[in-house]
Amino acid sequence: MVAKKGKLITTEGDGILEQTFQKYRLLKQEVDKWQQERKTYWLNTLNLADNPPYLPILDLPSEAIIELWQRLNTLAKVEISDSELRIMWEKFIKSENVMDADMSTRFQMALNGVAHIAGEMAYQKGVPASDDPQGITFCPVCGEASTLAVLTPPTGKRIMHCTMCDFEWSVKRVGCLYCGSEDSKQQIFLKDETFPGIEMAVCQICGQYFKEIDGRELTVRDYLWEDLRTLPLNYATELWLTEHWKKSNQIH
Ligand SMILES: [Zn+2]
Ligand SMILES: [Zn+2]
């Protein structure tokens, strides 16, 4: 059975991507350095729950997040006290965002850096993913929603990848991961030739989509960056949905 294919048109982002990447790369290097030095210490403080999500991000040790966050602030030459960061973290927990864009990026990178330790711990313990098909797109470790699937070599087995904690889990190969529809005629795979090895899998029943990286065509080292780099595909898919799916669903 041949999957339905469609074309996406993305727009160029005049050099912004390159600037963003340079900023990201410097922060990521610092995160990696921190992990090398501090991972063993923080690993010993983490406890996984008996059921998914095994370690939701709001339960990560705030001291670890602040420690790494402060390193990233120092790198960016931003002076701020630990207690001010603690207040921001508490506001984040209450969904009150008080950070400017750069502070928010450093915070997200710190959160990622600590969540990766939890993800690695879950790997080492071999925790099972959720057996609830409704929740299959939620990371069993940190509980965040994932919109990134990977077809792994050599057979193309499909897994979900969590860009927050780096955990991966197996999912079914055919059909929609959101509404569970197995009708392959209702799945359409959109691609843009400027992003080889990546397709956007859109479900025409529920109107949701995920990004699918074919690991047999494209080797990815940093999935978070890959997801950010290919955000134009998400925007183009939203537009495609507005033009094709939402319109036709209003008519009926
Ligand atoms: Zn996760
Ligand atoms: Zn669906």
Side-chain angles (χ1 to χ4, degrees), residues 114-131:
V114 179
H116 275 203
I117 298 179
E120 197 177 313
M121 186 184 195
Y123 263 124
Q124 284 168 6
K125 299 210 166 183
V127 295
S130 166
D131 47 16

Side-chain angles (χ1 to χ4, degrees), residues 170-199:
S170 296
V171 289
K172 63 178 184 173
R173 178 69 177 86
V174 180
C176 176
L177 297 174
Y178 295 102
C179 69
S181 161
E182 302 218 327
D183 184 354
S184 55
K185 286 199 284 301
Q186 298 296 340
Q187 305 294 308
I188 181 156
F189 290 85
L190 303 173
K191 73 179 294 158
D192 177 319
E193 279 155 15
T194 46
F195 295 99
I198 305 181
E199 292 187 334

Side-chain angles (χ1 to χ4, degrees), residues 6-231:
K7 265 195 178 173
L8 278 184
I9 298 156
T10 54
T11 44
E12 298 265 342
D14 55 10
I16 296 171
L17 190 68
E18 185 54 34
Q19 281 175 26
T20 313
F21 179 62
Q22 292 310 333
K23 266 195 203 172
Y24 172 85
R25 197 173 54 93
L26 286 174
L27 293 171
K28 181 72 170 62
Q29 278 171 355
E30 191 66 21
V31 171
D32 291 347
K33 219 163 93 190
W34 176 82
Q35 282 174 338
Q36 276 166 20
E37 290 168 29
R38 300 289 288 155
K39 188 167 76 184
T40 313
Y41 173 81
W42 288 111
L43 257 179
N44 289 324
T45 69
L46 300 182
N47 289 307
L48 299 182
D50 294 333
N51 298 300
Y54 297 106
L55 190 45
I57 51 166
L58 296 186
D59 292 345
L60 289 172
S62 58
E63 292 313 305
I65 294 164
I66 289 166
E67 184 182 288
L68 175 53
W69 192 1
Q70 205 55 296
R71 283 224 193 173
L72 301 179
N73 289 330
T74 307
L75 181 77
K77 300 192 172 54
V78 172
E79 270 186 51
I80 186 161
S81 67
D82 284 6
S83 53
E84 281 172 280
L85 295 185
R86 209 161 283 125
I87 293 168
M88 285 187 192
W89 166 246
E90 279 157 18
K91 294 215 164 167
F92 170 80
I93 291 175
K94 290 188 223 152
S95 306
E96 295 169 24
N97 193 2
V98 289
M99 298 175 215
D100 65 37
D102 284 340
M103 182 58 92
S104 183
T105 302
R106 293 190 294 274
F107 168 68
Q108 287 294 335
M109 295 288 291
L111 209 53
N112 266 76
V114 179
H116 275 203
I117 298 179
E120 197 177 313
M121 186 184 195
Y123 263 124
Q124 284 168 6
K125 299 210 166 183
V127 295
S130 166
D131 47 16
D132 171 15
Q134 292 294 320
I136 199 70
T137 54
F138 288 93
C139 174
V141 178
C142 70
E144 293 295 291
S146 169
T147 54
L148 191 64
V150 183
L151 302 178
T152 55
T155 55
K157 190 169 94 80
R158 189 194 257 170
I159 56 167
M160 285 308 267
H161 183 98
C162 174
T163 51
M164 174 58 80
C165 73
D166 242 13
F167 194 74
E168 292 178 334
W169 60 104
S170 296
V171 289
K172 63 178 184 173
R173 178 69 177 86
V174 180
C176 176
L177 297 174
Y178 295 102
C179 69
S181 161
E182 302 218 327
D183 184 354
S184 55
K185 286 199 284 301
Q186 298 296 340
Q187 305 294 308
I188 181 156
F189 290 85
L190 303 173
K191 73 179 294 158
D192 177 319
E193 279 155 15
T194 46
F195 295 99
I198 305 181
E199 292 187 334
M200 302 302 280
V202 180
C203 172
Q204 297 189 97
I205 293 177
C206 68
Q208 298 189 82
Y209 65 88
F210 54 88
K211 190 176 285 172
E212 188 164 82
I213 296 178
D214 193 335
R216 296 164 299 182
E217 272 183 57
L218 181 67
T219 308
V220 176
R221 288 211 168 74
D222 182 338
Y223 281 96
L224 177 60
W225 175 252
E226 190 62 20
D227 198 24
L228 294 173
R229 184 183 80 83
T230 57
L231 272 179

